[in-house]
Amino acid sequence: MASDKQNEVKVPPSDENKENLPDGGLGLEILQIIKESQQQHGLRHGDYQRYRGYCSRRLRRLRKTLGFKMGNRHKFVGKKITVEMLSDNRYLLLVLMEAERAWSYAMQLKQEANTEPRKRFHLMARLRKAAKHSEKLEKLCESPRVDAKTKLEAQAYTAYLTGMVDFELQEWKLAMEAFNKCKTIYEKLASAFTEELAVLYRQRVDEISPNIRYCAYNIGDQNAINDLMQMRLTGGGGGMMAEKLEALITQARTKQAATMSEVEWRGRSVPVKIDKARIFLLGLADNEAAIAQASNEETKEHLYETLLAECRDTIQAVREELKSEAKQRERSSEGDSGKVSNLQFLHSYLTYIKLCTLVKRNESMAHTLQAKLKEPESDENKRGPRPQDLIRLYDIILQSLAELSTLQGLEDDHTFQKEVSLKTLVYKAYRCFFIAQSYVLVKKWSEALVLYERVLKYAKEVQSKAKSFNNSLKDLPDVQELIAEVNAEKYSLQAASRSWVRAVAAHCRSSSSQPLCDRLETFRLDPALVGKQPNLVHFPPEFQPIPCKPLFFDLALNHVAFPPLDDKVEQKGKGGLTGYIKGIFGFGS
């Protein structure tokens, strides 16, 4: 709760104890407040429950600060905010937080409704409640006490939540009208205010644009599907809209899947009877085209992950059918004819697609890392990419290629095996190159030179075998560029190693006469240290002056004259009666 108070968006207070309102009326940055609150309290990670808890706590603090309590702990007394009470913009914030709390609860229920469908009824009730609070906010903002900008923002906020309600009810026309109204208001606001606020308004416009196109598609606009597909490529339409877009694409492919009966691969036609496999294979070309047209690496990585997830699900469905087929064979007591079945060949084809996609994804990541590796480091404290990261990626690629060569039904396909072998050589060359780069960083010149020679060997072997596989090399990296880069690295490495050797030799000569104890902070390979006469310390050691402990002699004693003590001795003999008594009883002895 303390962290909520520290992180919450501050609302500029107005003069609530004065009769006169601030110049221009009360103002409330509605979109800025909700966006900052959402980012700071859970929605950055999609945690709607956390954001709902924040809204509840902030409502309680606002009511306590304003003295606007709903009764006491024993009895609830409802109160309504009226236009006459608008002496402080925190009353508007109170209504806004009520709408946000209801909206966040609805979004939380929407996530849970995937597994518990009956929660959808509760979801719609909370979404209608949020829209009702937003209408109340818009009505309060119609007061002359509120400035024009806040009125427009309240209208846009109401239109957005109303559109969300109609969108969930599949009232596409009403939802489209509400979203268009919201979009128009935010576009006007973006053109009228500072760049900082304009960015927020444009972001909101980008958020609702996929919803508008989705509504247009459901109304009957067939051109909208192309816009939705383009948004998918650019990474637009995140969150709940992304799920609806994927469902829409799957629905369109399902309609086309009825016309697909077989697929041809490696000269063999295979019937496709599994609906999931038909849908996946129909969308394969679209997915590959989307990846090729991706605008940035983040979008491309997301599309690769989506394609791989679909492929894994399809392979799992085929595996289930394979198990059923194996059981039927056991029951019918049919012997294995040795030929791979159509279902098994389809499984090999899907596995081939998955492994090839993995290779392409890791190769794309490797290209990105290579470009970053060549860039100068801007921040020394931040860890940049290293050759070891690329080695790991090429290890995964080689592992995928090794699995490709073991696919069932392709053991006797010599052309396929040679293609995989050729690709393996190419990626081995690149892996070896980055291993050499990692040795260069730690100044292991001889190991790096040997590895560079190994790279050239792999590359020349690829060139000699690639003449009969021109089509197979179109997607592979160019080994000629690798050869040129290796030669350049070799020459620079040889020059660097020679200069380093000369520097070490000069240093060795300068420090050869020094014993080991004088050069402990400098490492040097000195064979004499393990010989019969190692130069470890100065021997015999040189004399050094040291402080010694002083001696004292009492020479003045012979020249000292002591005072006479005769009077003391005589007094001791004249003891009197006391001395006599002491002598009798032995006290004086």
Side-chain angles (χ1 to χ4, degrees):
M1 215 172 145
S3 62
D4 289 349
K5 292 181 180 178
Q6 293 172 0
N7 295 331
E8 69 184 20
V9 181
K10 302 297 182 183
V11 179
S14 59
D15 305 330
E16 69 175 282
N17 296 324
K18 298 180 181 180
E19 291 294 327
N20 297 326
L21 294 170
D23 295 338
L26 292 174
L28 190 69
E29 302 285 350
I30 294 176
L31 185 61
Q32 184 178 2
I33 288 171
I34 62 176
K35 280 294 179 185
E36 291 183 5
S37 299
Q38 288 171 1
Q39 288 297 310
Q40 292 175 3
H41 299 282
L43 261 63
R44 184 178 296 176
H45 310 290
D47 191 349
Y48 292 98
Q49 185 175 5
R50 179 185 164 194
Y51 180 58
R52 180 167 68 96
Y54 162 75
C55 293
S56 299
R57 293 191 296 273
R58 190 160 190 192
L59 277 170
R60 185 166 61 249
R61 289 196 297 271
L62 284 169
R63 289 194 182 110
K64 185 176 180 181
T65 305
L66 295 170
F68 192 74
K69 296 183 179 180
M70 302 288 193
N72 52 39
R73 67 178 62 184
H74 303 294
K75 185 179 180 182
F76 173 79
V77 179
K79 292 182 181 179
K80 291 184 178 180
I81 299 175
T82 59
V83 176
E84 291 75 18
M85 299 171 63
L86 294 181
S87 59
D88 193 323
N89 57 1
R90 285 177 290 182
Y91 284 104
L92 298 176
L93 182 62
L94 196 65
V95 183
L96 177 63
M97 284 293 109
E98 287 178 338
E100 282 293 290
R101 180 175 63 174
W103 171 82
S104 58
Y105 195 10
M107 294 299 103
Q108 177 191 341
L109 291 168
K110 188 175 181 67
Q111 289 179 334
E112 297 171 358
N114 293 329
T115 54
E116 301 177 64
R118 286 199 59 81
K119 287 195 174 181
R120 183 165 178 79
F121 298 104
H122 194 185
L123 149 70
M124 293 308 305
R126 299 315 300 175
L127 206 54
R128 288 192 186 96
K129 188 75 171 177
K132 185 177 178 182
H133 284 305
S134 67
E135 290 170 3
K136 181 180 176 183
L137 176 64
E138 182 183 359
K139 194 170 183 180
L140 287 172
C141 290
E142 290 174 357
S143 166
R145 301 183 179 212
V146 181
D147 62 12
K149 177 173 175 290
T150 307
K151 291 178 182 178
L152 286 172
E153 284 209 45
Q155 290 174 13
Y157 185 66
T158 304
Y160 176 74
L161 289 179
T162 305
M164 291 292 290
V165 174
D166 294 330
F167 191 85
E168 290 299 326
L169 292 172
Q170 298 185 3
E171 297 287 345
W172 308 119
K173 190 173 181 180
L174 294 175
M176 188 173 177
E177 291 174 358
F179 285 136
N180 276 324
K181 179 182 177 182
C182 177
K183 180 182 176 182
T184 303
I185 294 173
Y186 281 129
E187 284 176 344
K188 296 293 183 184
L189 288 171
S191 62
F193 290 95
T194 61
E195 185 62 28
E196 183 181 357
L197 288 174
V199 170
L200 279 174
Y201 297 139
R202 292 193 196 104
Q203 285 178 353
R204 177 66 94 176
V205 170
D206 292 339
E207 286 175 12
I208 62 178
S209 293
N211 298 44
I212 294 172
R213 288 183 173 87
Y214 190 82
C215 293
Y217 171 77
N218 283 282
I219 290 171
D221 185 1
Q222 294 301 321
N223 294 326
I225 186 66
N226 298 325
D227 295 333
L228 290 169
M229 292 295 292
Q230 192 62 34
M231 284 185 175
R232 183 169 176 252
L233 298 183
T234 57
M240 302 298 178
M241 188 60 209
E243 297 177 5
K244 289 186 175 292
L245 182 55
E246 293 297 334
L248 177 64
I249 294 170
T250 304
Q251 181 182 358
R253 289 174 184 167
T254 304
K255 293 178 181 178
Q256 300 173 1
T259 61
M260 182 180 183
S261 59
E262 61 180 16
V263 64
E264 185 175 350
W265 181 59
R266 306 302 301 181
R268 178 174 173 178
S269 296
V270 182
V272 183
K273 300 178 181 179
I274 304 171
D275 291 337
K276 200 173 188 65
R278 288 178 180 177
I279 295 169
F280 172 73
L281 292 173
L282 277 171
L284 181 61
D286 292 337
N287 284 326
E288 290 177 346
I291 291 169
Q293 298 173 16
S295 57
N296 53 58
E297 292 299 324
E298 185 179 354
T299 305
K300 186 180 287 188
E301 179 66 20
H302 171 70
L303 292 173
Y304 269 126
E305 290 297 332
T306 304
L307 177 57
L308 286 170
E310 291 177 4
C311 191
R312 291 188 191 101
D313 293 342
T314 308
I315 290 173
Q316 183 61 34
V318 175
R319 279 202 194 106
E320 296 296 329
E321 291 294 325
L322 278 172
K323 290 178 183 177
S324 303
E325 186 184 69
K327 290 179 180 178
Q328 289 177 1
R329 285 183 179 178
E330 289 177 0
R331 290 171 185 171
S332 61
S333 302
E334 292 181 1
D336 190 2
S337 61
K339 184 180 178 182
V340 176
S341 66
N342 288 332
L343 200 57
Q344 182 61 58
F345 199 74
L346 177 62
H347 181 270
S348 296
Y349 177 47
L350 293 170
T351 308
Y352 169 81
I353 293 171
K354 184 191 79 170
L355 294 173
C356 287
T357 306
L358 276 172
V359 169
K360 291 176 183 176
R361 186 196 68 173
N362 287 302
E363 188 180 354
S364 174
M365 293 170 65
H367 284 312
T368 306
L369 282 176
Q370 286 180 44
K372 291 181 180 178
L373 199 61
K374 294 177 182 178
E375 295 175 358
E377 292 186 6
S378 56
D379 188 2
E380 296 180 356
N381 298 325
K382 186 177 179 181
R383 180 189 179 276
R386 298 177 182 177
Q388 289 86 341
D389 302 330
L390 286 156
I391 294 168
R392 175 59 183 158
L393 288 175
Y394 283 110
D395 279 335
I396 298 172
I397 290 174
L398 290 171
Q399 183 180 353
S400 300
L401 291 173
E403 292 180 26
L404 275 176
S405 61
T406 60
L407 290 176
Q408 288 188 354
L410 300 174
E411 299 91 343
D412 299 330
D413 191 339
H414 299 296
T415 305
F416 177 79
Q417 296 295 338
K418 286 179 181 178
E419 288 177 2
V420 173
S421 176
L422 189 64
K423 292 178 182 179
T424 303
L425 279 176
V426 173
Y427 291 114
K428 273 186 177 181
Y430 274 89
R431 176 180 176 274
C432 194
F433 173 76
F434 288 107
I435 293 175
Q437 292 283 76
S438 66
Y439 276 111
V440 170
L441 291 178
V442 294
K443 294 183 172 59
K444 292 188 175 181
W445 318 114
S446 57
E447 290 88 344
L449 283 170
V450 171
L451 287 167
Y452 281 142
E453 292 294 337
R454 179 72 64 84
V455 174
L456 292 175
K457 177 187 172 185
Y458 284 142
K460 290 175 182 177
E461 192 175 349
V462 168
Q463 286 182 329
S464 64
K465 293 182 178 180
K467 296 175 182 179
S468 57
F469 295 100
N470 293 328
N471 294 330
S472 302
L473 282 176
K474 61 181 180 180
D475 296 331
L476 289 177
D478 188 4
V479 291
Q480 190 60 43
E481 294 181 3
L482 181 63
I483 291 172
E485 192 170 357
V486 167
N487 286 327
E489 290 287 338
K490 273 180 61 180
Y491 298 143
S492 62
L493 180 60
Q494 288 170 355
S497 62
R498 285 172 184 171
S499 61
W500 183 79
V501 168
R502 283 196 292 269
V504 171
H507 180 74
C508 291
R509 285 193 297 272
S510 65
S511 61
S512 59
S513 60
Q514 293 180 348
L516 182 62
C517 64
D518 292 342
R519 50 186 175 87
L520 291 175
E521 295 181 356
T522 304
F523 174 75
R524 180 170 64 85
L525 292 176
D526 190 356
L529 293 177
V530 293
K532 293 183 178 180
Q533 294 181 347
N535 189 8
L536 302 177
V537 294
H538 296 284
F539 189 81
E542 297 179 359
F543 289 103
Q544 296 180 0
I546 60 172
C548 60
K549 186 176 180 181
L551 299 176
F552 296 96
F553 298 94
D554 197 358
L555 302 177
L557 182 61
N558 297 331
H559 303 281
V560 173
F562 292 98
L565 302 174
D566 297 339
D567 54 344
K568 302 292 182 182
V569 174
E570 291 178 359
Q571 287 180 3
K572 190 175 179 180
K574 298 177 182 180
L577 181 60
T578 306
Y580 178 74
I581 293 172
K582 288 181 179 179
I584 294 175
F585 292 100
F587 296 129
S589 57

